[in-house]
């Protein structure tokens, strides 16, 4: 089982890294096959995708799954240095090459958490329990006070920075690839890494703008109906019926960086599980979810020296799921629930193999 697990991980790394670095188009190829089989669409890669050099796609959802199972791989191969180093290096490279701001921040967060585990030992469980339950119960009320509702004032300069970087990057790519958008776009690895770091920083800032707007708006609505909420799936319906006029961070046509567009007040979901729980299920739902998180966390024991390292990794997995849930996916997204269910199943399988 361990052999099949490491092979599947390595295959995932190879596909993602080669696609994100070389712009091969593996993901687009499989999407075309999927569309052809299910919807009888023509098996043709989009011309505009070829011209833009965006054959790799985003991979953000798939990488979230791969990231959690990579942590499981660290758990499984914690005593085998060769595989352990390979998993850690491949995971870092995938996340660095990707456009997922959530995973970049989560990686930094669990790195800091691991240092805290080494520092505080058994006390870290109580700290995590306090922060987890406290944030589930009180986060909306904190965000409503902490986030400024002057959403558009500071976005102008950020828009212009991203516009200038995108234009420079396009010119550089054409200079490296004159007349052919299908060739490898980056032959200078040093320049590629520098561009990737700059772009990642700007994208994180850009995504943070919309996230903060969504969270502030949702928090304001939660406070208006705190105890019972608005009902299951109500965040999606609310977003369809209500819109906000915001700086368009995805359109650089405006010279002054202040092109305004209408956006759903809550796009599909609040991109924060805690806020979605409060919005849809109210404080009653938040209490129930805090109990579930408490029960799961209390199953991780850091008291025995023999199992300290193993359970430390389980704590990192627990916190990674919690971090990702607070900035990305919806509470009721079935593919994400299925992924977490598989993760729990495999943790139990490998735990029994250990014992």
């Amino acid at each position: 089982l361990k052999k099949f697990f490491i092979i599947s991980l390595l295959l995932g790394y190879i596909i993602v890294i080669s696609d994100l670095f070389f712009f091969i188009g593996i993901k687009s190829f499989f999407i075309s096959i999927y569309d052809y089989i299910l919807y009888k669409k023509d098996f043709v890669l989009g011309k505009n995708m070829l011209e833009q050099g965006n054959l790799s796609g985003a991979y953000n959802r798939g990488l979230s799954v791969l990231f959690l199972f990579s942590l499981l791989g660290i758990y499984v191969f914690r005593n085998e240095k060769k595989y352990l180093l390979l998993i850690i290096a491949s995971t870092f490279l995938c996340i660095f090459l990707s456009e997922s701001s959530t995973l970049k921040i989560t990686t930094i967060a669990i790195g800091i958490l691991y240092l805290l585990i080494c520092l505080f030992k058994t006390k870290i469980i109580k700290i995590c329990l306090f922060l987890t339950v406290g944030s589930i119960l009180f986060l909306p009320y904190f965000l409503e006070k902490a986030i400024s509702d002057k959403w558009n004032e500071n976005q102008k300069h950020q828009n212009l920075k991203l516009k200038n970087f995108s234009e420079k990057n396009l010119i550089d790519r054409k200079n490296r690839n004159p007349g052919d958008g299908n060739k490898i776009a980056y032959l200078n690895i040093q320049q590629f890494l520098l561009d990737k770091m700059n772009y990642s920083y700007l994208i994180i800032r850009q995504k943070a703008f919309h996230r903060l707007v969504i969270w502030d708006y949702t928090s304001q609505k939660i406070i208006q109906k705190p105890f019972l909420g608005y009902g299951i799936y109500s965040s999606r319906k609310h977003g369809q019926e209500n819109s906000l006029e915001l700086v368009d961070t995805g359109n650089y046509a405006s010279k002054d960086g202040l092109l305004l567009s209408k956006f759903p007040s809550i796009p599909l979901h609040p991109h924060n599980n805690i806020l979605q729980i409060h919005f849809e299920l109210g404080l009653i739902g938040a209490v129930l979810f805090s109990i579930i998180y408490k029960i799961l966390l209390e199953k991780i024991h850091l008291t025995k020296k023999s199992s300290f390292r193993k359970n430390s990794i389980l704590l990192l997995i627990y916190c990674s799921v919690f971090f990702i849930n607070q900035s990305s996916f919806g509470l009721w997204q079935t593919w994400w629930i299925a992924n977490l269910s598989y993760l729990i199943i495999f943790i139990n399988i490998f735990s029994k193999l250990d014992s």
Side-chain angles (χ1 to χ4, degrees):
L1 181 61
K2 288 172 71 173
K3 185 187 292 185
F4 283 114
F5 183 63
I6 190 65
I7 289 172
S8 64
L9 276 181
L10 291 176
L11 184 61
Y13 295 140
I14 290 168
I15 291 172
V16 172
I17 292 170
S18 59
D19 220 7
L20 290 174
F21 189 82
F22 296 113
F23 301 102
I24 296 171
I26 299 172
K27 181 180 178 182
S28 299
F29 175 76
F30 283 111
I31 287 173
S32 295
I33 293 175
Y34 178 85
D35 286 344
Y36 177 75
I37 294 172
L38 263 68
Y39 306 111
K40 304 301 180 185
K41 293 183 179 179
D42 293 336
F43 184 70
V44 178
L45 292 174
K47 184 181 177 184
N48 62 323
M49 292 177 70
L50 289 166
E51 289 174 349
Q52 293 170 9
N54 292 329
L55 285 171
S56 61
Y59 277 105
N60 289 354
R61 292 186 176 192
L63 267 176
S64 297
V65 176
L66 187 60
F67 176 75
L68 293 179
F69 276 88
S70 296
L71 290 177
L72 178 59
I74 293 171
Y75 171 83
V76 173
F77 297 100
R78 62 189 179 279
N79 297 319
E80 300 178 43
K81 286 186 178 180
K82 181 175 67 176
Y83 290 126
L84 183 63
L85 292 173
L86 181 61
I87 291 169
I88 292 172
S90 300
T91 304
F92 271 105
L93 187 55
C94 285
I95 292 169
F96 178 76
L97 293 175
S98 76
E99 295 182 1
S100 177
S101 306
T102 296
L103 289 182
K104 289 180 172 69
I105 294 170
T106 300
T107 303
I108 295 169
I110 64 167
I112 295 171
L113 177 62
Y114 185 73
L115 294 176
L116 293 175
I117 291 171
C118 296
L119 187 64
F120 292 104
K121 305 291 183 182
T122 57
K123 292 180 181 177
I124 196 66
I125 291 289
K126 292 182 179 178
I127 295 171
C128 287
L129 182 60
F130 173 78
L131 293 175
T132 302
V133 174
S135 59
I136 290 174
L137 294 176
F138 302 112
L139 184 67
Y141 309 98
F142 169 78
L143 291 178
E144 197 275 332
K145 297 293 184 183
I147 301 175
S148 169
D149 57 3
K150 296 177 181 178
W151 297 323
N152 289 325
E153 288 185 8
N154 297 323
Q155 191 58 25
K156 174 182 176 180
H157 299 298
Q158 176 66 18
N159 240 28
L160 293 174
K161 279 183 182 179
L162 194 54
K163 175 179 181 289
N164 293 335
F165 180 83
S166 299
E167 290 174 349
K168 177 183 175 298
N169 193 40
L170 183 62
I171 293 169
D172 290 345
R173 182 178 290 183
K174 284 182 178 178
N175 290 336
R176 288 191 294 270
N177 262 349
D180 192 347
N182 296 321
K183 289 183 179 179
I184 296 172
Y186 286 100
L187 300 178
N188 185 331
I189 294 177
Q190 184 178 357
Q191 184 61 42
F192 172 82
L193 296 176
L194 186 63
D195 285 351
K196 202 70 185 177
M197 288 175 66
N198 289 332
Y199 183 70
S200 295
Y201 169 73
L202 291 170
I203 286 296
I204 288 172
R205 289 279 304 273
Q206 199 79 321
K207 288 184 177 180
F209 170 69
H210 272 152
R211 288 288 191 274
L212 291 173
V213 170
I214 296 164
W215 295 346
D216 186 40
Y217 178 87
T218 307
S219 298
Q220 291 176 16
K221 293 299 177 183
I222 288 168
I223 289 171
Q224 294 174 13
K225 200 173 181 181
F227 295 108
L228 296 177
Y230 296 84
I232 294 177
Y233 285 108
S234 57
S235 56
R236 178 189 287 261
K237 186 178 180 182
H238 187 91
Q240 291 172 345
E241 295 175 351
N242 299 273
S243 61
L244 299 172
E245 196 170 65
L246 302 171
V247 169
D248 191 344
T249 57
N251 191 322
Y252 315 123
S254 174
K255 291 182 179 179
D256 61 3
L258 281 175
L259 182 66
L260 297 177
S261 298
K262 284 190 175 182
F263 292 90
S265 57
I266 302 177
L268 301 179
H269 51 81
H271 292 78
N272 181 296
N273 276 191
I274 293 173
L275 294 183
Q276 188 170 358
I277 290 166
H278 277 270
F279 188 91
E280 298 185 3
L281 305 175
L283 192 58
I284 295 173
V287 170
L288 292 175
F289 270 86
S290 65
I291 293 170
I292 293 170
Y293 271 99
K294 181 177 182 290
I295 292 170
L296 289 173
L297 188 57
E298 287 178 342
K299 290 184 178 294
I300 302 172
H301 303 286
L302 295 178
T303 51
K304 295 180 181 179
K305 287 186 178 180
S306 59
S307 61
F308 179 81
R309 190 179 180 192
K310 177 177 76 172
N311 287 332
S312 296
I313 300 168
L314 290 178
L315 181 59
L316 294 180
I317 295 173
Y318 170 93
C319 290
S320 295
V321 172
F322 185 78
F323 289 146
I324 292 170
N325 281 343
Q326 306 326 315
S327 59
S328 286
F329 310 122
L331 185 64
W332 313 114
Q333 288 186 299
T334 51
W335 70 270
W336 182 241
I337 294 172
N339 167 59
L340 297 181
S341 301
Y342 278 121
L343 184 66
I344 292 169
I345 290 168
F346 276 102
I347 286 172
N348 282 293
I349 289 172
F350 286 118
S351 293
K352 288 179 180 178
L353 287 176
D354 271 351
S355 59

